[in-house]
Amino acid sequence: MGHGVRNRPCGGRYGDIVEAIGHTPLIELKRLSPKPGVRIWAKLESRNPTGSVKDRVARSLILDAEDKGLIRPGQTLLEPTSGNTGIALAMIAARKGYKLKVVMPDNVTPERSDLLRMYGAEIVYSEGAKGSNGAVELALDMAAKDPSYYMPYQYGNQANPDAHYNGTALEILEELDEVSAFVAGLGTGGTLMGNGRRLKEELGDKVKIVAAEPMQGEPVQGLRSLDDGFIPPIIDLSILDRKIFVTNRDAILWTRRLLDEEQLFAGVSTGAIARVALRIAGELDEGNVVFIVADDGTKYFSSGIYTRPIDEIANLDSTVWW
Ligand SMILES: Cc1ncc(COP(=O)(O)O)c(C=O)c1O
């Protein structure tokens, strides 16, 4: 092979785009590593078909409902989501012949609404100031009033963490024999629970499961703080070894550092996650630190975070990042 190109057998061959979900690359970030014995790995979930980790979850939620006979073609699925799960559900619902209605805060970036409409979903907006909790409240209310909806409800559905338990975590274990720390953002908690449970089962308590949480009152798109009053039912706090708070400013700074130093184009929650991964890496003498790149930055272009001076951006009202 010329020029050092190493095509591991082309990422596989699949019957359709839904089957192609997952199988994402694990990329070493050598420039960010604080010492030679500590290796930092980014799991590129942005390489999924709709650009985020939520493709895995949306597929798992729909397959689970089909297996249990809870949905039939033509039925309307209803889900509260800040965007990524909705976009992924919209793509899969369209492929499989379901309709989709998503409930989403009215202050998310316009790219998210465009992507949802592009895949044929209908959007119901909830009050932006109430964040994702407001979207959850409104969707639960709509579902209670109209039993014809099927609500997968990723916050309380075991199929969400199972997508990681049976997918993401196995892919990581295929590539690495040792993992000292696994770092992800906390939204529904699915990524941390599913990966955390599988990694601990396979590697024991040596692997530390670490959550990146936004500071209360400083929302980072896609993430939530457990201190804000709602603990999603799928969360088992005993799986988490640590949670580390990240400011909105740090999330943005680190999103830019990933881009400038490692040429890794990621969304804002990944900036927060990388910040925490690097802090953990700094505490170790050796070992592998794996963190999740939840999505790429295409949905955040309009916010200007990749192009405007950092000080100008970090001082903006943080609710616009939600
Ligand atoms: C951009 C982004 N990052 C991180 C997360 C957190 O993932 P999880 O819901 O698995 O906790 C989400 C989930 O909504 C997200 O959209």
Side-chain angles (χ1 to χ4, degrees):
M1 259 188 294
H3 310 294
V5 173
R6 286 199 307 147
N7 264 11
R8 295 281 292 279
C10 80
R13 186 169 81 174
Y14 303 97
D16 80 348
I17 192 109
V18 177
E19 279 181 24
I21 289 168
H23 324 283
T24 56
L26 192 63
I27 314 279
E28 183 164 10
L29 305 184
K30 292 200 174 114
R31 283 196 203 160
L32 288 181
S33 172
K35 39 200 133 165
V38 181
R39 305 180 76 179
I40 298 169
W41 303 89
K43 180 74 171 149
L44 234 61
E45 292 304 299
S46 47
R47 286 275 291 270
N48 277 298
T50 77
S52 90
V53 65
K54 292 297 183 176
D55 281 1
R56 295 181 189 268
V57 173
R59 176 175 60 183
S60 179
L61 292 168
I62 290 183
L63 290 181
D64 174 72
E66 285 178 338
D67 286 349
K68 292 178 176 155
L70 299 172
I71 50 176
R72 53 187 191 294
Q75 191 169 348
T76 301
L77 314 181
L78 173 73
E79 185 71 4
T81 160
S82 64
N84 280 333
T85 304
I87 293 161
L89 278 171
M91 183 273 278
I92 300 170
R95 274 227 50 80
K96 286 175 160 276
Y98 303 104
K99 297 192 188 87
L100 177 71
K101 226 179 240 194
V102 302
V103 185
M104 180 167 92
D106 60 14
N107 54 355
V108 299
T109 56
E111 291 92 329
R112 294 191 176 218
S113 299
D114 289 348
L115 280 158
L116 282 163
R117 292 202 182 96
M118 194 178 97
Y119 285 115
E122 191 185 321
I123 304 170
V124 178
Y125 289 106
S126 58
E127 200 184 316
K130 287 191 177 170
S132 58
N133 290 353
V136 171
E137 241 173 69
L138 180 57
L140 287 171
D141 188 51
M142 287 168 65
K145 286 182 182 142
D146 184 348
S148 75
Y149 290 127
Y150 175 73
M151 188 152 95
Y153 195 50
Q154 59 169 342
Y155 291 91
N157 192 326
Q158 188 58 31
N160 169 7
D162 283 354
H164 296 284
Y165 182 88
N166 295 315
T168 328
L170 294 184
E171 292 172 24
I172 293 167
L173 287 161
E174 252 171 51
E175 300 299 333
L176 300 174
D177 296 328
E178 186 276 345
V179 178
S180 293
F182 173 86
V183 186
L186 195 135
T188 63
T191 309
L192 284 157
M193 292 301 114
N195 283 289
R197 189 168 285 125
R198 176 71 85 173
L199 292 174
K200 280 189 183 279
E201 272 174 25
E202 300 295 326
L203 304 172
D205 269 344
K206 205 189 134 292
V207 50
K208 298 300 171 212
I209 307 302
V210 186
E213 277 196 33
M215 307 281 279
Q216 238 188 326
E218 283 206 17
V220 174
Q221 283 206 12
L223 305 188
R224 66 165 57 248
S225 165
L226 288 177
D227 297 341
D228 76 359
F230 173 65
I231 299 187
I234 56 167
I235 292 188
D236 168 1
L237 288 172
S238 73
I239 303 274
L240 289 184
D241 291 290
R242 285 170 77 177
K243 53 179 185 155
I244 295 180
F245 289 104
V246 185
T247 62
N248 196 41
R249 183 189 170 85
D250 269 355
I252 295 165
L253 276 174
W254 280 84
T255 308
R256 291 278 281 260
R257 278 196 72 174
L258 287 173
L259 190 59
D260 295 342
E261 291 173 41
E262 293 282 359
Q263 289 63 54
L264 199 158
F265 178 45
V268 203
S269 77
T270 303
I273 297 164
R275 161 90 188 84
V276 171
L278 266 293
R279 179 163 153 191
I280 300 287
E283 295 172 6
L284 297 172
D285 292 320
E286 56 176 11
N288 293 305
V289 176
V290 176
F291 76 90
I292 294 287
V293 176
D295 61 1
D296 72 20
T298 45
K299 288 184 290 293
Y300 311 91
F301 271 142
S302 63
S303 63
I305 66 157
Y306 304 98
T307 47
R308 291 165 67 180
I310 299 232
D311 281 329
E312 201 180 294
I313 294 157
N315 290 334
L316 287 176
D317 173 2
S318 60
T319 56
V320 305
W321 303 112
W322 207 94

